Amino acid sequence: MKLYVSPGACSMSCHIAFEEAKLPFEAMISQTEEVQKLNPMGAVPTLVMNDGKVLTQNIAILTYAANQPTGTHLLPKAGTFEYAKAYQWLSFVASDLHPSFSPLFNPATPEEQRKAAVERVIDLFNIADAALKDSKYIAGNEFTIADAYLFTVYGWSAHVKLDTSSFTHLNAFKARVFERPAVQAVMKREGLLK
Ligand SMILES: N[C@@H](CCC(=O)N[C@@H](CS)C(=O)NCC(=O)O)C(=O)O
């Protein structure tokens, strides 16, 4: 399988999930032209299976990784409340948090809009921070694919110069996830760590 990613982009969540699940894959880093041909949205993550089939969208690719025999530890048992809870947080990151960053990455965003986007991101961080008060990971005490996605998006704060010092629980979470061997390996591969 070939997993197309860009360094530090949302695709890093899938890269982490593939590494955590010890799947046989090749990381295709910054292959923009290839991605344009493979994915009508021209976006990463894009996964190409060995038979040439293409899968896109973070949640789909994360779910694929967690449903492989070596990746089942990345989600609670299907059908349980805990499983649905992991999807609650996956949806939170994909539908609420991730898009809220878009105006902050666009240098043409007017100041008023930028301020509103910062407020929205801070509100969402407060929600995640509160949820992490009593658990090690966002959907409980076990690492799931929702954590891979939250860790990735929370990491964008530094790039857009958001002050995150007040998010005690999110910062403890970030440090915890950062220490995971799979995360270290992925960040090195993406050129984000020495
Ligand atoms: N809804 C998509 C969003 C993918 C997305 O926004 N990818 C960004 C990186 S975080 C990207 O590739 N942007 C480059 C582009 O759209 O040209 C998903 O969940 O996969």
Side-chain angles (χ1 to χ4, degrees), residues 60-71:
I61 298 174
L62 289 166
T63 300
Y64 176 81
N67 278 286
Q68 299 313 297
T70 55

Side-chain angles (χ1 to χ4, degrees), residues 10 12 26 34 38 45 68 85 96 107 111 126 134 140 143 145 151 156 176-177 179 185:
C10 54
M12 194 171 83
E26 190 181 347
E34 279 290 293
L38 291 163
Q68 299 313 297
K85 201 72 186 166
D96 296 312
E111 192 48 31
N126 271 314
D134 298 317
F143 179 88
I145 50 177
F151 171 82
W156 297 346
R176 197 172 293 129
V177 176
E179 289 307 320

Side-chain angles (χ1 to χ4, degrees), residues 93-119:
V93 180
S95 312
D96 296 312
L97 190 55
H98 179 167
S100 299
F101 268 90
S102 301
L104 304 179
F105 282 123
N106 182 356
T109 299
E111 192 48 31
E112 277 304 296
Q113 218 177 310
R114 199 194 126 76
K115 274 190 196 154
V118 167
E119 276 174 27

